[in-house]
């Protein structure tokens, strides 16, 4: 079993839909939780990060962390075709100052007009 | 450019050859990471530098892989005796050291194909 599990999809939704992307993890010591977006043939770019449990909102994006269930989510409201990409969850320990993120395999999202 | 720069963007080589991949991080970023991403998978950690030294090389798959960062800026990932299984996109990322909470800035990657 991998430390971070993520359904690869693809997830196909119509424009304007609310999208829910999720990851589960096994290491209860993870403290930082991140979502990266990766367009085809590009490097990942950070969308949001959250420390410990709780919610964080940024525009159309909301990140949720439930440490008791070892489950994190990213919600995208009013999805746009430009949101079509692979979404990678990542998480890290706060040990030794290195904060090396461990990534999920990514979920491919397709938003069609 | 202000972003992480990686060269070459594409490299095709034959099994058994030696390959070098270069990463130029964002100016002022002391932390530098190498990841490998296979098709349909997420980035897999290889090695992390803090300044000139390799702070964590636990992700290197075997002794054919080696990385250096001699002056604390540009880094080179070196792969000896390449195998077909080494084919992947090699991603480099950098971050500010003290403020790092997993906020890595990635380059576009070097796509390695071993024939």
């Amino acid at each position: 079993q991998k430390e971070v599990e993520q359904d690869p999809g693809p997830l196909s939704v119509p424009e304007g839909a609310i999208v829910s992307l999720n990851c589960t993890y096994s290491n209860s010591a993870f403290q930082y939780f991140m979502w990266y977006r990766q367009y085809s043939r590009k490097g990942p770019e950070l969308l949001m990060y959250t420390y410990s449990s709780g919610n964080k909102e940024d525009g159309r994006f909301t990140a949720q962390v439930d440490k008791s269930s070892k489950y994190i989510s990213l919600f995208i409201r009013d999805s746009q075709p430009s949101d079509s990409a692979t979404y990678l969850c990542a998480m890290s320990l706060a040990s030794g100052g290195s904060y090396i993120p461990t990534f999920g395999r990514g979920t491919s999202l397709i938003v069609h007009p | 450019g202000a972003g992480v720069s990686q060269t070459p963007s594409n490299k095709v080589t034959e099994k058994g050859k030696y390959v070098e991949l270069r990463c130029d991080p964002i100016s002022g970023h002391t932390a530098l990471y190498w990841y490998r991403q296979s098709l349909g998978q997420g980035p897999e950690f290889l090695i992390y530098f803090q300044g000139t030294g390799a702070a964590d090389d636990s992700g290197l798959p075997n002794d054919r892989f080696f990385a250096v960062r001699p002056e604390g800026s540009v880094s080179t990932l070196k792969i000896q005796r390449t195998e077909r299984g080494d084919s992947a996109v090699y991603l480099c990322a950098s971050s500010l050291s003290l403020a790092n909470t997993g906020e890595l800035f990635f380059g576009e990657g070097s796509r390695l194909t071993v024939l």
Side-chain angles (χ1 to χ4, degrees), chain A residues 32 34 36 46 49 92 98-99 101, chain B residues 33 95 99-104:
Chain A
Y32 291 98
M34 295 141 276
Y36 282 79
L46 181 70
Y49 77 90
S92 65
S98 63
Y99 308 101
Chain B
Y33 306 74
S95 70
N100 184 12
T101 55
E103 298 177 75
L104 274 58

Side-chain angles (χ1 to χ4, degrees), chain B residues 38 43 98:
Chain B
S38 300
L98 295 179

Side-chain angles (χ1 to χ4, degrees), chain A residues 2 32 34 36 38 41-44 46 49 88 97-101 103-105, chain B residues 33 35 37 40-43 45 48 56 91 100-104 106-108 111:
Chain A
K2 289 191 173 183
Y32 291 98
M34 295 141 276
Y36 282 79
Q38 186 174 27
R41 294 187 170 261
K42 299 291 186 182
L46 181 70
Y49 77 90
L88 298 156
S98 63
Y99 308 101
I100 299 170
F103 284 84
R105 64 181 298 183
Chain B
Y33 306 74
Y35 282 80
Q37 187 172 27
Q41 301 297 316
F45 169 72
Y48 157 73
D56 188 334
L91 293 165
N100 184 12
T101 55
E103 298 177 75
L104 274 58
F106 283 86
E108 295 200 345
R111 184 175 299 273

Side-chain angles (χ1 to χ4, degrees), chain B residues 11-98:
Chain B
K11 176 71 177 179
V12 180
T13 191
E14 293 180 343
K15 181 175 179 293
K17 298 291 187 181
Y18 170 80
V19 166
E20 288 191 354
L21 307 174
R22 176 190 164 105
C23 173
D24 198 343
I26 293 172
S27 178
H29 282 191
T30 58
L32 185 146
Y33 306 74
W34 284 99
Y35 282 80
R36 175 170 71 175
Q37 187 172 27
S38 300
L39 191 63
Q41 301 297 316
E44 174 191 5
F45 169 72
L46 296 176
I47 187 169
Y48 157 73
F49 287 89
Q50 184 60 256
T52 59
D56 188 334
D57 63 357
S58 62
L60 295 177
N62 50 60
D63 61 6
R64 295 187 298 106
F65 288 76
F66 189 70
V68 296
R69 194 185 185 199
E71 298 178 357
S73 179
V74 171
S75 176
T76 305
L77 179 65
K78 308 181 180 193
I79 311 173
Q80 298 178 319
R81 304 183 304 280
T82 51
E83 299 177 356
R84 292 194 181 87
D86 298 336
S87 296
V89 176
Y90 289 81
L91 293 165
C92 177
S94 68
S95 70
L96 291 169
S97 177
L98 295 179

Side-chain angles (χ1 to χ4, degrees), chain A residues 48-111:
Chain A
M48 299 184 72
Y49 77 90
T50 310
Y51 174 71
S52 195
S53 285
N55 293 1
K56 187 173 184 178
E57 187 173 322
D58 184 1
R60 297 185 296 113
F61 298 90
T62 300
Q64 286 186 352
V65 175
D66 182 350
K67 291 192 72 179
S68 63
S69 301
K70 298 193 186 72
Y71 187 88
I72 70 170
S73 300
L74 178 71
F75 297 95
I76 308 174
R77 291 182 297 280
D78 187 25
S79 56
Q80 302 295 310
S82 59
D83 294 329
S84 298
T86 295
Y87 289 79
L88 298 156
C89 64
M91 42 203 79
S92 65
L93 309 172
S95 62
S98 63
Y99 308 101
I100 299 170
T102 299
F103 284 84
R105 64 181 298 183
T107 298
S108 175
L109 172 67
I110 301 167
V111 182

Side-chain angles (χ1 to χ4, degrees), chain A residues 5-53:
Chain A
E5 297 281 357
Q6 187 173 12
D7 188 322
L11 177 62
S12 182
V13 301
E15 183 176 355
I18 296 174
V19 174
S20 172
L21 303 165
N22 311 293
C23 286
T24 59
Y25 62 95
S26 56
N27 189 343
S28 58
F30 284 133
Q31 295 280 2
Y32 291 98
F33 303 89
M34 295 141 276
W35 287 95
Y36 282 79
R37 178 174 62 195
Q38 186 174 27
Y39 291 113
S40 181
R41 294 187 170 261
K42 299 291 186 182
E45 56 177 334
L46 181 70
L47 273 178
M48 299 184 72
Y49 77 90
T50 310
Y51 174 71
S52 195
S53 285

